[in-house]
Amino acid sequence: MQLLHGAAALLAFSGMADSGLEHTRAHYRNPAMGVAPSLGALGLVTALRGLLSRRRTGRGAEAIYGALAATGAGGLGFHAYNILKRPGGLGWMNLFYGAPLGAPGTMLLAGLFGLAAKRLEEPGAEHGPRTLIGGGRRTRRSAAQRLGLAASVGLVGTVAEVALLHFRGAWQNPYMVLPVTVPPAAAVALAAAAVQPGPAVIAAARSLSGATALLGLAGVAFHAYGIHRNMGGWKTWSQMILQGPPLPAPPGFTGVALAGLAALLLLEDEEP
């Protein structure tokens, strides 16, 4: 499933680069901060091999994707702890300026979508792939529905993180509303297609997921422009790349949208 390997590659890259920048800004005070960018790089290489190769990925790919998902889940716990231990606990200031609460979710999704791609590569998957996260056998439609719901939930989590940071940025650019309007619509459409697939709802979900994928790529350009607008701009890139809008973050939307498109392709194959 090339789309899923592509989704995992984009999400692994986004998580690797974003955690690398953020943890550099935090001076790697905790030695565990080196785990996310390191495993993100390993996950990126694994996903790219799956994307570019026509052959099945090796046995180690599943272990790497599993470690990537576990790293993301652990990161969510670490970031939540970082926020809660600060004076004031779970408040706006700590949500704005503490460890980004939802950022490790990118790693988690990269691992889960990579595992899904690996499972769908298995011999006989066309007759009934295993569930996306282990255990038993299910129909192909069931796997596609679970994947669609996972992509929908992933978009909702990504939108929540973006909404928080754009709110912190006081919505200075009118285009900042796009990531909190188009992706939620895509999430709803993907969930609807997963629960009750049909030609019309699948077509709507495909259009909205495609728009979300393009929006993620456009977000890189918008964030680059945001860095340009900061004092010193790109002339002081070594500082501004840490202080300005996070360049690696927007492709996360593209990665989740690609996973949604993969689910829609599987659902469409099952339509009579």
Side-chain angles (χ1 to χ4, degrees):
M1 232 329 170
Q2 304 303 98
L3 269 178
L4 281 175
H5 282 302
L10 272 172
L11 287 163
F13 168 76
S14 180
M16 172 196 71
D18 198 28
S19 63
L21 287 174
E22 292 295 327
H23 292 177
T24 296
R25 186 168 63 175
H27 305 294
Y28 287 90
R29 284 192 293 266
N30 187 331
M33 286 180 168
V35 173
S38 301
L39 263 177
L42 193 57
L44 174 60
V45 172
T46 303
L48 286 175
R49 286 184 65 186
L51 176 64
L52 300 175
S53 175
R54 294 293 179 181
R55 296 177 297 176
R56 292 171 56 202
T57 51
R59 294 180 179 179
E62 190 163 357
I64 291 170
Y65 283 137
L68 195 59
T71 299
L76 290 172
F78 273 117
H79 284 206
Y81 172 72
N82 176 274
I83 289 171
L84 292 174
K85 75 175 184 178
R86 288 167 170 256
L90 192 63
W92 286 113
M93 291 298 291
N94 289 337
L95 286 172
F96 285 155
Y97 299 107
L101 189 56
T106 303
M107 293 282 196
L108 174 60
L109 291 172
L112 293 182
F113 293 146
L115 285 172
K118 187 72 177 68
R119 301 286 167 84
L120 288 170
E121 287 178 348
E122 293 178 355
E126 66 274 13
H127 302 300
R130 290 161 59 192
T131 54
L132 301 184
I133 320 236
R137 309 280 296 183
R138 296 292 188 272
T139 66
R140 189 174 179 85
R141 171 171 288 192
S142 175
Q145 288 174 323
R146 291 166 187 269
L147 180 58
L149 289 173
S152 176
V153 172
L155 281 177
V156 170
T158 307
V159 167
E161 181 74 8
V162 170
L164 180 69
L165 295 179
H166 284 193
F167 179 63
R168 187 183 74 178
W171 310 97
Q172 294 179 33
N173 188 321
Y175 290 108
M176 291 171 81
V177 302
L178 290 177
V180 296
T181 51
V182 176
V188 171
L190 281 170
V195 173
Q196 193 65 44
V201 69
I202 288 176
R206 183 188 298 109
S207 296
L208 288 166
S209 296
T212 299
L214 292 175
L215 185 62
L217 298 178
V220 178
F222 278 113
H223 281 204
Y225 177 69
I227 291 174
H228 160 75
R229 290 182 67 245
N230 281 345
M231 185 176 294
W234 282 101
K235 292 180 181 179
T236 56
W237 66 269
S238 61
Q239 297 177 40
M240 289 302 104
I241 205 169
L242 296 175
Q243 302 301 325
L247 275 177
F253 272 126
T254 305
V256 182
L258 288 180
L261 289 170
L264 294 173
L265 283 175
L266 290 172
L267 286 169
E268 197 170 36
D269 285 345
E270 292 299 306
E271 282 298 297

